[in-house]
Amino acid sequence: MVQETKVVIIGAGPAGLTAAYELDKANISSVVLEKDNIVGGISRTVNYKGYRFDIGGHRFFTKVKVVEKLWHEVLGNDFLHRPRISRIYYKNHFFHYPLRPLNALFGLGIWNSLLVLLSYLKIKISPKKPENTFEDWVSNRFGKRLFDIFFKTYTEKVWGIPCQEITAEWAAQRIKKLSLLSAITNAFYKKSAPKKQNTITTLIDAFEYPKLGPGMMWERVSELVEKKNQVCLGAEVTKVFWTNTEVKAVEIKINGQKKLTKGSHFISSMPIRELIQKFEPAAPKKIVDAAEALSYRDFITVAIIINKPDIFPDNWIYIHDSQVKVGRIQNFKNWSPHMVPDQNKTCLGLEYFCFEGDGLWTSTNEELIELAKKELISLGFIQSSDIEDGKVVRVPKAYPIYDSTYKKSLEIIRQFLHPLKNLQLIGRNGMHKYNNQDHSMLTAMMAVQNILGENYDLWQVNVEQEYHEEMLAKDKAKNKTFSLLNMTQPKVPQTSLSSKI
């Protein structure tokens, strides 16, 4: 069976669905192909017996007006304005994040607080030079002792890389202007109604959130798109047919049957590694090798339903305890009360960061639920009798890894794909960029504009300030959009080793 349409979109995450939504507004036909049975990608919301939980927490905060406009255009009054409450758990104590000096003083104790201050003063007098590693950079701004307490354990859990092997560049990008001094200043002195564009992203203390989770946004977008076009779930792309100048069609497998989908334009948000592996005829060996060299950090959420109305007041807690494997705990009821069907109960999401195929990833669901229960009890949050049920969700390729070889691999692939003028890559995995929803959405919006006749280089969005400056004379509004977007994006650590992670 052959289906023909104007634009074929691979992936129904924020990027793919934004592209379909924008095409729909331009009256251009499209079909969205999603191999999973749920839309939203990593921004989905899982519904288990009426308990809703995210794959990680997803704050809706952006400096980009066109993205913010789309969010409110779709959900309107279904957005909640939520205060951010997040703390760090360390040695049986909770520390507010961002830092509150008195809380830190009482949590660490006067003696440890004095040692933290002395460590900070010592590094100010004699900073580490040159700043080669993440450890060097953070220690120079917070002191070595505070680095060991509040940065080392969590960073290594998330990325699986020793802090001595992560480049200082990532710290400079990720933490930006934040330091011990700025954190203390922020705690004691807050300007009223700070301008959004001047806010340090790490210190944002409020955000918007769909009342039924981020999946609500993408479920609604999917419904709107399907009024005119198709969103096909359970449709796995198995082959991408191409020539030297364009993509001709994709083969999909749906309900056990193969189907050919043709189009004049193709937009892909699937992982680049998988995209290249599906090329038919096969891409040259050099290209396949470059694609297979791209690495990812994988993710497991273990949702635990607890027969208690309150556990802790936070939206999420960072676990800086090397004795447990959990990296972060989400309290979905505190993101939105609508996330649980019974207000006398609570649903916690324990987040485990891993590599596909390692001990955590290959554990059975039952083993992971037992691990999560054991760690919740050992951390002192609950007792065994409080636990009612559990659910495991695995997400492969959640975080693209910026290792020592990824730039070279990506450049090889980009040069290979450049002649295929009707193929555009968008989104986090589509471009192997660790970005937030607003960046993924903007790449999708620009891809649609290209189909309408523009000529934007999507790879330069949020990468090269020089490119933004070149556009200034041409379009000041879009240049400002790129600059604002750059202030909201998370960064991925790069290893300082020459070997691949």
Side-chain angles (χ1 to χ4, degrees):
M1 180 179 178
V2 179
Q3 177 185 23
E4 291 196 35
T5 188
K6 179 74 173 176
V7 185
V8 178
I9 301 168
I10 304 173
L17 286 174
T18 296
Y21 182 76
E22 293 293 303
L23 287 166
D24 192 45
K25 289 197 291 186
N27 293 314
I28 298 175
S29 64
S30 69
V31 60
V32 181
L33 306 174
E34 171 57 56
K35 72 174 181 179
D36 211 335
N37 290 308
I38 183 173
V39 299
I42 198 173
S43 295
R44 79 190 75 168
T45 299
V46 179
N47 187 338
Y48 177 67
K49 300 181 179 179
Y51 292 87
R52 297 174 184 270
F53 59 93
D54 301 350
I55 308 303
H58 292 270
R59 291 181 290 167
F60 280 66
F61 174 86
T62 185
K63 299 171 187 287
V64 183
K65 293 297 182 184
V66 289
V67 170
E68 190 171 56
K69 180 177 180 293
L70 188 152
W71 284 342
H72 288 276
E73 189 174 281
V74 172
L75 283 187
N77 294 330
D78 284 327
F79 266 119
L80 304 178
H81 188 75
R82 306 300 294 167
R84 167 183 170 157
I85 305 175
S86 61
R87 291 180 294 171
I88 293 169
Y89 177 90
Y90 173 75
K91 288 191 174 180
N92 300 316
H93 291 283
F94 291 97
F95 299 86
H96 286 284
Y97 186 75
L99 180 68
R100 297 182 186 178
L102 291 179
N103 170 253
L105 174 65
F106 288 118
L108 289 173
I110 294 176
W111 176 246
N112 271 328
S113 295
L114 179 60
L115 292 177
V116 165
L117 180 59
L118 291 174
S119 175
Y120 177 71
L121 294 175
K122 178 182 177 182
I123 207 74
K124 288 287 110 181
I125 295 169
S126 181
K128 293 188 175 184
K129 297 293 181 182
E131 289 181 341
N132 291 324
T133 70
F134 175 81
E135 180 173 335
D136 295 340
W137 195 98
V138 174
S139 296
N140 279 347
R141 287 152 184 80
F142 292 87
K144 179 64 165 62
R145 194 172 187 88
L146 209 58
F147 162 79
D148 288 336
I149 293 172
F150 291 141
F151 291 89
K152 185 178 189 295
T153 299
Y154 183 74
T155 299
E156 292 182 352
K157 279 185 182 180
V158 172
W159 294 106
I161 308 170
C163 287
Q164 299 93 330
E165 298 175 9
I166 297 174
T167 62
E169 179 186 8
W170 177 64
Q173 293 171 331
R174 184 70 179 92
I175 304 173
K176 298 178 183 177
K177 299 177 182 179
L178 190 62
S179 66
L180 181 60
L181 183 61
S182 66
I184 292 173
T185 302
N186 182 76
F188 282 121
Y189 175 69
K190 291 185 178 181
K191 294 180 181 180
S192 59
K195 291 183 179 180
K196 184 180 289 188
Q197 60 265 33
N198 294 328
T199 305
I200 299 174
T201 308
T202 312
L203 301 180
I204 294 167
D205 58 6
F207 54 89
E208 292 185 298
Y209 187 75
K211 69 179 184 181
L212 294 178
M216 182 183 190
M217 167 66 69
W218 305 112
E219 289 162 13
R220 184 74 56 82
V221 171
S222 180
E223 291 170 3
L224 293 171
V225 169
E226 286 195 286
K227 289 182 178 180
K228 294 182 181 178
N229 295 292
Q230 286 183 284
V231 178
C232 300
L233 301 181
E236 180 181 3
V237 172
T238 53
K239 291 182 181 180
V240 177
F241 296 98
W242 65 290
T243 68
N244 290 332
T245 59
E246 64 180 347
V247 172
K248 290 289 190 179
V250 296
E251 178 189 83
I252 64 172
K253 185 177 180 181
I254 184 169
N255 297 324
Q257 296 184 336
K258 292 182 179 179
K259 177 179 174 181
L260 194 66
T261 300
K262 294 183 177 180
S264 57
H265 295 271
F266 295 80
I267 296 175
S268 174
S269 65
M270 74 188 300
I272 294 180
R273 189 166 75 186
E274 293 184 16
L275 176 71
I276 296 298
Q277 290 171 338
K278 296 179 188 299
F279 266 41
E280 182 68 34
K285 185 178 185 302
K286 178 182 177 182
I287 308 304
V288 174
D289 289 345
E292 291 179 350
L294 296 175
S295 300
Y296 304 84
R297 190 71 164 150
D298 306 294
F299 186 83
I300 298 172
T301 293
V302 183
I304 300 295
I305 299 169
I306 300 162
N307 193 19
K308 288 180 69 175
D310 299 296
I311 309 294
F312 50 75
D314 310 73
N315 309 108
W316 68 90
I317 291 176
Y318 302 102
I319 306 299
H320 290 225
D321 188 332
S322 60
Q323 301 304 307
V324 294
K325 294 181 179 180
V326 62
R328 189 170 57 183
I329 302 177
Q330 304 282 349
N331 190 336
F332 299 108
K333 186 177 181 180
N334 293 342
W335 285 79
S336 166
H338 302 280
M339 297 286 276
V340 296
D342 185 344
Q343 295 301 305
N344 291 314
K345 298 180 181 180
T346 300
C347 180
L348 298 181
L350 283 76
E351 298 175 359
Y352 295 91
F353 307 92
C354 57
F355 290 110
E356 191 171 356
D358 69 12
L360 274 174
W361 186 266
T362 57
S363 297
T364 65
N365 289 353
E366 292 74 18
E367 288 170 339
L368 288 169
I369 290 171
E370 285 305 312
L371 173 65
K373 290 178 180 178
K374 179 182 176 182
E375 295 196 338
L376 280 175
I377 294 168
S378 70
L379 293 169
F381 290 126
I382 59 172
Q383 297 178 346
S384 179
S385 58
D386 298 324
I387 299 169
E388 189 171 290
D389 201 354
K391 172 70 173 177
V392 175
V393 176
R394 291 173 173 82
V395 180
K397 302 179 180 65
Y399 304 142
I401 288 180
Y402 291 12
D403 60 22
S404 60
T405 65
Y406 96 97
K407 284 186 178 179
K408 181 179 179 181
S409 296
L410 207 53
E411 184 58 31
I412 290 171
I413 295 167
R414 285 175 56 185
Q415 289 179 7
F416 167 70
L417 294 177
H418 183 70
L420 308 182
K421 300 301 184 183
N422 69 338
L423 172 65
Q424 298 185 84
L425 308 188
I426 61 173
R428 174 181 285 198
N429 279 339
M431 306 180 79
H432 202 79
K433 287 187 177 183
Y434 179 53
N435 50 41
N436 285 333
Q437 281 190 94
D438 55 348
H439 180 283
S440 295
M441 292 171 65
L442 189 60
T443 58
M445 291 175 176
M446 293 176 66
V448 171
Q449 288 300 310
N450 284 344
I451 291 172
L452 294 173
E454 293 288 353
N455 187 32
Y456 295 122
D457 184 350
L458 306 188
W459 291 98
Q460 300 305 318
V461 179
N462 195 39
V463 176
E464 298 293 343
Q465 186 60 34
E466 291 80 4
Y467 177 75
H468 302 166
E469 290 170 358
E470 287 173 11
M471 294 185 62
L472 183 58
K474 176 181 175 182
D475 194 331
K476 291 183 179 181
K478 283 188 174 63
N479 185 73
K480 183 178 180 182
T481 293
F482 294 147
S483 299
L484 293 175
L485 182 75
N486 188 54
M487 299 169 67
T488 69
Q489 300 310 303
K491 308 295 179 181
V492 176
Q494 298 182 40
T495 175
S496 59
L497 298 184
S498 60
S499 60
K500 186 172 177 289
I501 298 171

